[in-house]
Amino acid sequence: QQQVKQSPQSLIVQKGGISIINCAYENTAFDYFPWYQQFPGKGPALLIAIRPDVSEKKEGRFTISFNKSAKQFSLHIMDSQPGDSATYFCAASKETSGSRLTFGEGTQLTVNP
Amino acid sequence: GAVVSQHPSRVICKSGTSVKIECRSLDFQATTMFWYRQFPKQSLMLMATSNEGSKATYEQGVEKDKFLINHASLTLSTLTVTSAHPEDSSFYICSARRVGAFFGQGTRLTVV
């Protein structure tokens, strides 16, 4: 059973544009929502994460928006750059599970020059 | 950020042989590590949870006798793929328990 649904599957954005990736979860016990960036042949790298007690978190060009009532969260990449081209995964976990993550399906982002 | 080192990054082995993959937490102690498998253009699939000093917990459908996990110290977990077959060819990734779960670089296993 897929507990975290991610969309879109792929995304093409022009340089300087905004990339938006969305995720929805089912398990209300989840209390930690990270986003990972993965380049081909590499392991995922933690990008930014949020807890449900805040609605937004910003780190540089990356922003997470969190809607607890809708059980949705999204990643916004401002001023997208070709170097941002990668696969992005949202994830969710319960703190009591000790970082056992449930991943979304992934979004392949391409930023054209 | 926390560093997790995985070795080797690539390995090619013959069918029927065994391959060991190491996962080390370099700057923190990890009582729990996780092993994932990833197929091309797919998400990460959790295979097992490795706990220091105790037996690993395997996800449903994962053969524990085929994928041997050992977590002998607070900084090292190993995954051994035994009697490897071509269908075991995949990208294997470990992560160490910490807020955010930091991942290793991954190991590309090719069984010929």
Side-chain angles (χ1 to χ4, degrees), chain A residues 32-109:
Chain A
Y32 183 74
F33 303 89
W35 283 90
Y36 289 88
Q37 179 189 58
Q38 185 180 31
F39 293 104
K42 303 295 183 182
L46 179 64
L47 200 58
I48 187 173
I50 198 168
R51 293 194 181 278
D53 54 344
V54 297
S55 60
E56 185 175 283
K57 183 175 182 180
K58 182 177 181 179
E59 291 183 1
R61 295 186 294 111
F62 302 94
T63 300
I64 299 179
S65 296
F66 186 82
N67 186 329
K68 187 175 182 179
S69 61
K71 295 188 288 186
Q72 295 176 347
F73 58 110
S74 60
L75 175 69
H76 295 232
I77 305 175
M78 312 299 288
D79 188 25
S80 299
Q81 300 296 312
D84 296 330
S85 298
T87 301
Y88 292 81
F89 292 96
C90 64
S93 72
K94 295 183 288 185
E95 189 63 24
T96 53
S97 72
S99 299
R100 178 195 170 107
L101 293 164
T102 299
F103 282 90
E105 300 95 328
T107 296
Q108 186 162 354
L109 172 65

Coordinates of all heavy atoms in Angstrom, one line a residue, chain A residues 32-109:
Chain A
Y32 N 7.3 13.6 10.4 CA 8.6 14.1 9.9 C 8.5 13.9 8.4 O 8.3 12.8 7.9 CB 9.8 13.4 10.5 CG 11.1 13.9 10.0 CD1 11.6 15.1 10.5 CD2 11.9 13.2 9.1 CE1 12.8 15.6 10.1 CE2 13.1 13.7 8.7 CZ 13.6 14.9 9.2 OH 14.8 15.4 8.7
F33 N 8.8 15.0 7.6 CA 8.6 15.0 6.2 C 9.8 15.6 5.5 O 9.9 16.8 5.3 CB 7.3 15.8 5.8 CG 6.1 15.3 6.5 CD1 5.7 15.8 7.7 CD2 5.3 14.3 5.9 CE1 4.6 15.3 8.4 CE2 4.2 13.8 6.5 CZ 3.8 14.3 7.7
P34 N 10.8 14.7 5.1 CA 12.0 15.2 4.4 C 11.8 15.1 2.8 O 11.0 14.3 2.3 CB 13.0 14.2 4.9 CG 12.3 13.0 5.1 CD 10.9 13.3 5.5
W35 N 12.6 15.9 2.2 CA 12.8 15.8 0.7 C 14.2 15.4 0.4 O 15.1 16.0 1.1 CB 12.4 17.1 0.1 CG 11.0 17.4 0.0 CD1 10.2 18.1 0.9 CD2 10.1 17.1 -1.1 NE1 8.9 18.1 0.5 CE2 8.8 17.5 -0.8 CE3 10.3 16.4 -2.3 CZ2 7.7 17.4 -1.6 CZ3 9.2 16.2 -3.2 CH2 7.9 16.7 -2.8
Y36 N 14.4 14.5 -0.5 CA 15.7 14.1 -0.9 C 15.9 14.4 -2.4 O 15.0 14.3 -3.2 CB 15.9 12.6 -0.7 CG 16.0 12.2 0.8 CD1 14.8 12.0 1.5 CD2 17.2 12.2 1.4 CE1 14.9 11.7 2.9 CE2 17.3 11.9 2.8 CZ 16.2 11.6 3.5 OH 16.2 11.3 4.8
Q37 N 17.2 14.7 -2.7 CA 17.6 14.9 -4.1 C 18.6 13.8 -4.4 O 19.5 13.5 -3.7 CB 18.3 16.3 -4.2 CG 18.9 16.6 -5.5 CD 19.7 17.9 -5.5 OE1 20.7 17.9 -4.7 NE2 19.4 18.9 -6.2
Q38 N 18.3 13.2 -5.6 CA 19.2 12.1 -6.0 C 19.7 12.3 -7.4 O 18.9 12.4 -8.4 CB 18.5 10.7 -5.9 CG 19.4 9.5 -6.2 CD 18.7 8.2 -6.1 OE1 17.5 8.1 -6.3 NE2 19.4 7.1 -5.7
F39 N 21.0 12.2 -7.6 CA 21.6 12.3 -8.9 C 21.9 10.8 -9.4 O 22.0 9.9 -8.5 CB 22.9 13.1 -8.9 CG 22.7 14.6 -8.6 CD1 22.9 15.1 -7.4 CD2 22.2 15.4 -9.6 CE1 22.7 16.5 -7.2 CE2 21.9 16.7 -9.4 CZ 22.2 17.3 -8.2
P40 N 21.9 10.6 -10.7 CA 22.1 9.3 -11.2 C 23.4 8.6 -10.6 O 24.4 9.2 -10.5 CB 22.3 9.5 -12.7 CG 21.5 10.7 -13.0 CD 21.8 11.6 -11.8
G41 N 23.2 7.4 -10.1 CA 24.3 6.6 -9.6 C 24.7 7.0 -8.2 O 25.8 6.5 -7.7
K42 N 24.0 7.9 -7.6 CA 24.3 8.3 -6.2 C 23.2 8.0 -5.2 O 22.1 7.8 -5.6 CB 24.6 9.9 -6.2 CG 25.7 10.3 -7.2 CD 27.0 9.8 -6.8 CE 28.1 10.3 -7.7 NZ 29.5 9.7 -7.4
G43 N 23.5 8.1 -4.0 CA 22.5 7.9 -2.9 C 21.7 9.2 -2.8 O 22.2 10.3 -3.2
P44 N 20.6 9.1 -2.2 CA 19.8 10.3 -2.0 C 20.4 11.2 -0.9 O 21.1 10.8 0.0 CB 18.4 9.8 -1.4 CG 18.4 8.3 -1.7 CD 19.8 7.9 -1.8
A45 N 20.3 12.5 -1.1 CA 20.9 13.5 -0.2 C 19.7 14.3 0.4 O 18.9 14.8 -0.4 CB 21.9 14.4 -0.9
L46 N 19.7 14.5 1.7 CA 18.7 15.3 2.3 C 18.8 16.7 1.9 O 19.8 17.3 2.0 CB 18.9 15.2 3.9 CG 17.9 16.0 4.7 CD1 16.5 15.4 4.5 CD2 18.3 15.9 6.2
L47 N 17.6 17.2 1.5 CA 17.6 18.6 0.9 C 17.0 19.5 2.0 O 17.6 20.5 2.3 CB 16.7 18.5 -0.3 CG 16.8 19.7 -1.3 CD1 18.2 19.8 -1.8 CD2 15.8 19.4 -2.5
I48 N 15.8 19.2 2.5 CA 15.1 20.0 3.4 C 14.0 19.2 4.1 O 13.6 18.2 3.4 CB 14.5 21.3 2.7 CG1 13.9 22.2 3.7 CG2 13.5 20.9 1.7 CD1 13.5 23.6 3.1
A49 N 13.6 19.5 5.3 CA 12.6 18.7 6.0 C 11.8 19.6 6.8 O 12.2 20.7 7.2 CB 13.3 17.6 6.8
I50 N 10.6 19.1 7.1 CA 9.6 19.8 7.9 C 8.9 18.9 8.9 O 8.7 17.7 8.6 CB 8.6 20.6 7.0 CG1 7.9 21.7 7.7 CG2 7.6 19.6 6.4 CD1 7.2 22.7 6.8
R51 N 8.5 19.5 10.0 CA 7.6 18.8 10.9 C 6.2 19.5 10.9 O 6.1 20.6 10.5 CB 8.2 18.9 12.3 CG 9.5 18.1 12.5 CD 9.9 17.9 13.9 NE 11.1 17.2 14.1 CZ 11.2 15.9 14.0 NH1 10.2 15.2 13.8 NH2 12.4 15.3 14.1
P52 N 5.2 18.8 11.3 CA 3.8 19.3 11.1 C 3.4 20.4 12.0 O 2.3 20.9 11.8 CB 3.0 18.0 11.4 CG 3.8 17.1 12.2 CD 5.2 17.4 11.8
D53 N 4.3 20.9 12.8 CA 3.9 22.0 13.6 C 4.2 23.4 12.9 O 3.8 24.4 13.5 CB 4.7 22.0 15.0 CG 6.2 21.9 14.8 OD1 6.6 21.5 13.7 OD2 6.9 22.1 15.8
V54 N 4.7 23.3 11.8 CA 4.9 24.6 11.0 C 4.3 24.4 9.6 O 4.2 23.2 9.1 CB 6.4 25.0 10.8 CG1 7.0 25.3 12.2 CG2 7.2 23.9 10.1
S55 N 3.9 25.4 8.9 CA 3.3 25.3 7.6 C 4.3 25.6 6.5 O 4.0 25.3 5.3 CB 2.1 26.3 7.5 OG 2.6 27.6 7.7
E56 N 5.4 26.1 6.8 CA 6.4 26.4 5.7 C 7.8 26.5 6.3 O 8.0 26.9 7.4 CB 6.0 27.8 5.1 CG 6.9 28.1 3.9 CD 6.4 29.4 3.2 OE1 5.4 29.3 2.4 OE2 7.1 30.4 3.4
K57 N 8.7 26.0 5.5 CA 10.1 26.1 5.9 C 10.9 26.4 4.6 O 10.7 25.8 3.6 CB 10.6 24.8 6.5 CG 12.1 24.9 6.9 CD 12.4 23.6 7.6 CE 13.9 23.6 8.2 NZ 14.3 22.4 8.8
K58 N 11.8 27.4 4.8 CA 12.6 27.9 3.6 C 14.1 27.7 3.9 O 14.5 28.2 5.0 CB 12.2 29.3 3.3 CG 12.9 29.9 2.0 CD 12.4 31.3 1.7 CE 13.2 31.8 0.5 NZ 12.7 33.2 0.2
E59 N 14.8 27.2 2.9 CA 16.2 27.1 3.0 C 16.8 27.5 1.7 O 16.8 26.7 0.7 CB 16.7 25.8 3.5 CG 16.4 25.4 4.9 CD 16.9 24.1 5.4 OE1 17.6 23.4 4.6 OE2 16.7 23.7 6.6
G60 N 17.3 28.7 1.6 CA 17.8 29.1 0.3 C 16.7 29.2 -0.8 O 15.7 29.8 -0.6
R61 N 16.9 28.5 -1.9 CA 16.0 28.5 -3.0 C 14.9 27.4 -2.8 O 14.0 27.3 -3.6 CB 16.7 28.2 -4.3 CG 17.6 29.3 -4.7 CD 18.2 29.1 -6.1 NE 19.1 27.9 -6.2 CZ 18.8 26.8 -6.8 NH1 17.6 26.8 -7.5 NH2 19.6 25.8 -6.9
F62 N 15.0 26.6 -1.7 CA 14.1 25.5 -1.5 C 13.1 25.8 -0.4 O 13.5 26.3 0.7 CB 14.9 24.2 -1.1 CG 15.9 23.8 -2.2 CD1 17.2 24.2 -2.1 CD2 15.5 23.1 -3.3 CE1 18.1 23.9 -3.1 CE2 16.4 22.7 -4.3 CZ 17.7 23.1 -4.2
T63 N 11.8 25.6 -0.6 CA 10.8 25.8 0.3 C 9.9 24.6 0.4 O 9.5 24.1 -0.6 CB 10.0 27.1 0.0 OG1 10.8 28.2 -0.1 CG2 8.9 27.3 1.0
I64 N 9.5 24.2 1.6 CA 8.5 23.2 1.8 C 7.3 23.9 2.3 O 7.3 24.7 3.3 CB 8.9 22.1 2.9 CG1 10.1 21.4 2.4 CG2 7.7 21.2 3.1 CD1 10.5 20.3 3.5
S65 N 6.1 23.6 1.7 CA 4.8 24.1 2.2 C 4.1 22.8 2.7 O 4.1 21.8 2.1 CB 4.0 24.7 1.1 OG 4.7 25.9 0.6
F66 N 3.5 23.0 3.9 CA 2.9 21.8 4.6 C 1.4 22.2 4.9 O 1.2 23.2 5.5 CB 3.7 21.4 5.8 CG 3.2 20.2 6.5 CD1 3.6 19.0 6.0 CD2 2.3 20.2 7.6 CE1 3.2 17.8 6.6 CE2 1.9 19.1 8.2 CZ 2.3 17.9 7.7
N67 N 0.5 21.3 4.5 CA -0.9 21.5 4.8 C -1.4 20.3 5.6 O -1.7 19.2 5.0 CB -1.7 21.7 3.5 CG -3.2 22.0 3.8 OD1 -3.7 21.6 4.8 ND2 -3.8 22.7 2.9
K68 N -1.4 20.4 6.9 CA -1.7 19.2 7.8 C -3.1 18.7 7.6 O -3.4 17.5 7.5 CB -1.5 19.6 9.2 CG -1.6 18.5 10.2 CD -1.3 18.9 11.6 CE -1.3 17.8 12.6 NZ -1.0 18.2 14.0
S69 N -4.1 19.7 7.4 CA -5.5 19.2 7.3 C -5.7 18.5 6.0 O -6.5 17.5 5.9 CB -6.4 20.4 7.4 OG -6.1 21.3 6.3
A70 N -5.0 18.9 5.0 CA -5.1 18.2 3.7 C -4.2 17.0 3.5 O -4.3 16.3 2.6 CB -4.9 19.2 2.5
K71 N -3.3 16.9 4.5 CA -2.3 15.8 4.5 C -1.5 15.9 3.2 O -1.3 14.9 2.4 CB -2.9 14.4 4.6 CG -3.5 14.2 6.0 CD -4.0 12.8 6.3 CE -5.2 12.5 5.5 NZ -5.7 11.1 5.9
Q72 N -1.0 17.1 2.9 CA -0.2 17.3 1.7 C 1.0 18.2 2.0 O 0.9 19.1 2.9 CB -1.1 18.0 0.6 CG -2.2 17.2 0.1 CD -3.1 17.9 -0.9 OE1 -3.0 19.2 -1.0 NE2 -4.0 17.2 -1.6
F73 N 2.1 18.0 1.3 CA 3.2 18.9 1.4 C 3.9 19.0 0.0 O 3.8 18.1 -0.8 CB 4.2 18.4 2.5 CG 4.7 17.1 2.3 CD1 6.1 16.9 2.0 CD2 3.9 15.9 2.6 CE1 6.6 15.6 1.9 CE2 4.5 14.6 2.4 CZ 5.8 14.5 2.1
S74 N 4.5 20.1 -0.2 CA 5.1 20.3 -1.5 C 6.5 21.0 -1.4 O 6.8 21.6 -0.4 CB 4.2 21.2 -2.4 OG 4.0 22.5 -1.7
L75 N 7.3 20.7 -2.4 CA 8.6 21.3 -2.5 C 8.6 22.4 -3.6 O 8.1 22.1 -4.7 CB 9.6 20.3 -2.8 CG 11.1 20.8 -3.1 CD1 11.7 21.3 -1.8 CD2 11.9 19.6 -3.7
H76 N 9.1 23.6 -3.3 CA 9.2 24.6 -4.3 C 10.7 24.9 -4.5 O 11.3 25.2 -3.5 CB 8.4 25.9 -3.9 CG 7.0 25.7 -3.8 ND1 6.1 26.5 -4.4 CD2 6.2 24.8 -3.1 CE1 4.8 26.1 -4.1 NE2 4.9 25.1 -3.4
I77 N 11.1 24.9 -5.7 CA 12.5 25.3 -6.0 C 12.4 26.6 -6.8 O 11.9 26.6 -8.0 CB 13.2 24.2 -6.8 CG1 13.2 22.9 -6.1 CG2 14.7 24.6 -7.1 CD1 13.8 21.7 -6.9
M78 N 12.8 27.6 -6.2 CA 12.8 28.9 -6.8 C 14.1 29.1 -7.7 O 15.1 28.5 -7.5 CB 12.8 30.0 -5.8 CG 11.8 29.8 -4.7 SD 10.1 29.8 -5.3 CE 9.9 31.5 -5.7
D79 N 13.9 29.9 -8.7 CA 15.1 30.2 -9.6 C 15.8 28.9 -10.0 O 17.0 28.8 -9.8 CB 16.0 31.2 -8.9 CG 17.2 31.7 -9.8 OD1 17.0 31.7 -11.0 OD2 18.2 32.0 -9.3
S80 N 15.0 28.0 -10.5 CA 15.6 26.7 -10.9 C 16.8 26.8 -11.8 O 16.8 27.6 -12.7 CB 14.5 25.8 -11.5 OG 13.4 25.6 -10.6
Q81 N 17.8 26.0 -11.6 CA 19.0 26.0 -12.3 C 19.2 24.6 -13.0 O 18.8 23.6 -12.4 CB 20.2 26.3 -11.4 CG 20.1 27.7 -10.8 CD 20.1 28.8 -11.8 OE1 21.0 28.8 -12.7 NE2 19.2 29.7 -11.7
P82 N 20.0 24.5 -14.1 CA 20.2 23.2 -14.7 C 20.9 22.2 -13.7 O 20.6 21.0 -13.8 CB 21.2 23.6 -15.8 CG 20.8 25.0 -16.2 CD 20.4 25.7 -14.9
G83 N 21.7 22.7 -12.8 CA 22.3 21.9 -11.8 C 21.3 21.3 -10.8 O 21.6 20.3 -10.1
D84 N 20.0 21.8 -10.8 CA 19.0 21.2 -10.0 C 18.4 19.9 -10.7 O 17.6 19.2 -10.0 CB 17.9 22.2 -9.8 CG 18.3 23.4 -9.0 OD1 19.3 23.3 -8.2 OD2 17.8 24.5 -9.2
S85 N 18.7 19.7 -11.9 CA 18.2 18.5 -12.6 C 18.6 17.3 -11.9 O 19.8 16.9 -11.8 CB 18.7 18.5 -14.1 OG 18.2 19.7 -14.8
A86 N 17.6 16.5 -11.4 CA 17.8 15.4 -10.6 C 16.5 14.7 -10.3 O 15.4 15.2 -10.8 CB 18.5 15.7 -9.3
T87 N 16.5 13.6 -9.6 CA 15.3 13.0 -9.1 C 15.0 13.4 -7.7 O 15.9 13.4 -6.9 CB 15.3 11.5 -9.3 OG1 15.5 11.1 -10.6 CG2 14.0 10.9 -8.8
Y88 N 13.8 13.8 -7.4 CA 13.4 14.3 -6.1 C 12.4 13.3 -5.5 O 11.5 12.9 -6.1 CB 12.9 15.7 -6.1 CG 13.9 16.7 -6.5 CD1 14.3 16.9 -7.9 CD2 14.6 17.5 -5.6 CE1 15.2 17.8 -8.2 CE2 15.6 18.4 -5.9 CZ 15.9 18.5 -7.3 OH 16.9 19.4 -7.6
F89 N 12.7 13.0 -4.2 CA 11.8 12.1 -3.5 C 11.3 12.8 -2.2 O 12.1 13.4 -1.5 CB 12.5 10.8 -3.0 CG 12.9 9.9 -4.2 CD1 14.2 9.9 -4.7 CD2 12.0 9.0 -4.7 CE1 14.6 9.1 -5.7 CE2 12.4 8.1 -5.7 CZ 13.7 8.2 -6.2
C90 N 10.0 12.7 -2.0 CA 9.5 13.1 -0.8 C 9.4 11.8 0.1 O 9.4 10.7 -0.4 CB 8.1 13.7 -0.9 SG 6.8 12.7 -1.5
A91 N 9.3 12.0 1.4 CA 9.3 10.9 2.3 C 8.6 11.3 3.6 O 8.3 12.5 3.8 CB 10.7 10.4 2.6
A92 N 8.2 10.3 4.3 CA 7.5 10.6 5.6 C 7.9 9.5 6.6 O 8.2 8.4 6.2 CB 6.0 10.6 5.4
S93 N 7.9 9.9 7.9 CA 8.3 8.9 8.9 C 7.6 9.3 10.2 O 7.2 10.4 10.4 CB 9.8 8.8 9.1 OG 10.3 9.9 9.7
K94 N 7.5 8.3 11.1 CA 7.1 8.5 12.4 C 8.4 8.5 13.3 O 9.2 7.6 13.1 CB 6.2 7.4 12.9 CG 4.9 7.3 12.2 CD 4.0 6.2 12.8 CE 4.5 4.8 12.4 NZ 3.6 3.8 12.8
E95 N 8.5 9.5 14.2 CA 9.7 9.6 14.9 C 10.0 8.3 15.7 O 11.1 7.8 15.9 CB 9.6 10.8 15.9 CG 10.9 11.1 16.6 CD 12.0 11.5 15.7 OE1 11.7 11.9 14.6 OE2 13.2 11.3 16.0
T96 N 8.9 7.7 16.2 CA 9.0 6.5 17.0 C 9.5 5.3 16.1 O 10.0 4.3 16.7 CB 7.7 6.1 17.6 OG1 6.7 6.0 16.6 CG2 7.3 7.1 18.7
S97 N 9.5 5.4 14.8 CA 10.0 4.3 14.0 C 11.5 4.5 13.7 O 12.0 3.7 13.0 CB 9.2 4.3 12.6 OG 9.6 5.4 11.8
G98 N 12.0 5.6 14.2 CA 13.5 5.7 14.1 C 14.0 5.9 12.7 O 14.8 5.2 12.2
S99 N 13.4 6.9 12.0 CA 13.8 7.3 10.7 C 13.5 6.2 9.6 O 14.1 6.2 8.5 CB 15.4 7.5 10.6 OG 15.7 8.6 11.5
R100 N 12.6 5.3 9.9 CA 12.1 4.4 8.9 C 11.2 5.2 7.9 O 10.2 5.7 8.3 CB 11.3 3.3 9.5 CG 10.7 2.3 8.5 CD 9.7 1.5 9.2 NE 8.9 0.7 8.2 CZ 9.0 -0.6 8.1 NH1 9.9 -1.3 8.8 NH2 8.3 -1.3 7.2
L101 N 11.7 5.4 6.7 CA 11.1 6.3 5.8 C 10.2 5.6 4.8 O 10.5 4.5 4.3 CB 12.1 7.1 5.0 CG 13.0 8.1 5.8 CD1 14.2 8.4 5.0 CD2 12.2 9.3 6.1
T102 N 9.1 6.2 4.5 CA 8.2 5.8 3.4 C 8.4 6.8 2.3 O 8.1 8.0 2.5 CB 6.7 5.7 3.9 OG1 6.6 4.8 4.9 CG2 5.8 5.3 2.7
F103 N 8.8 6.4 1.2 CA 9.1 7.3 0.1 C 8.0 7.4 -0.9 O 7.2 6.5 -1.1 CB 10.3 6.7 -0.7 CG 11.6 7.0 0.0 CD1 12.1 6.1 0.9 CD2 12.3 8.2 -0.2 CE1 13.3 6.3 1.5 CE2 13.5 8.4 0.4 CZ 14.0 7.4 1.3
G104 N 7.9 8.6 -1.5 CA 7.1 8.8 -2.7 C 7.7 8.1 -3.9 O 8.9 7.6 -3.8
E105 N 7.1 8.2 -5.0 CA 7.5 7.5 -6.2 C 8.7 8.2 -6.9 O 9.4 7.7 -7.8 CB 6.4 7.3 -7.2 CG 5.2 6.5 -6.7 CD 4.1 7.4 -6.1 OE1 4.4 8.5 -5.5 OE2 2.9 7.0 -6.1
G106 N 8.9 9.5 -6.6 CA 10.0 10.2 -7.2 C 9.5 11.1 -8.4 O 8.5 10.8 -9.1
T107 N 10.2 12.2 -8.6 CA 9.9 13.1 -9.7 C 11.3 13.5 -10.3 O 12.2 13.9 -9.7 CB 9.3 14.5 -9.2 OG1 8.0 14.2 -8.6 CG2 9.2 15.5 -10.3
Q108 N 11.3 13.2 -11.6 CA 12.5 13.5 -12.4 C 12.4 14.9 -12.9 O 11.5 15.2 -13.8 CB 12.7 12.5 -13.5 CG 14.0 12.7 -14.3 CD 14.4 11.5 -15.1 OE1 13.7 10.4 -15.1 NE2 15.4 11.6 -15.9
L109 N 13.2 15.8 -12.4 CA 13.2 17.2 -12.8 C 14.3 17.5 -13.8 O 15.5 17.1 -13.6 CB 13.4 18.1 -11.5 CG 13.6 19.6 -11.8 CD1 12.3 20.2 -12.4 CD2 14.0 20.3 -10.5

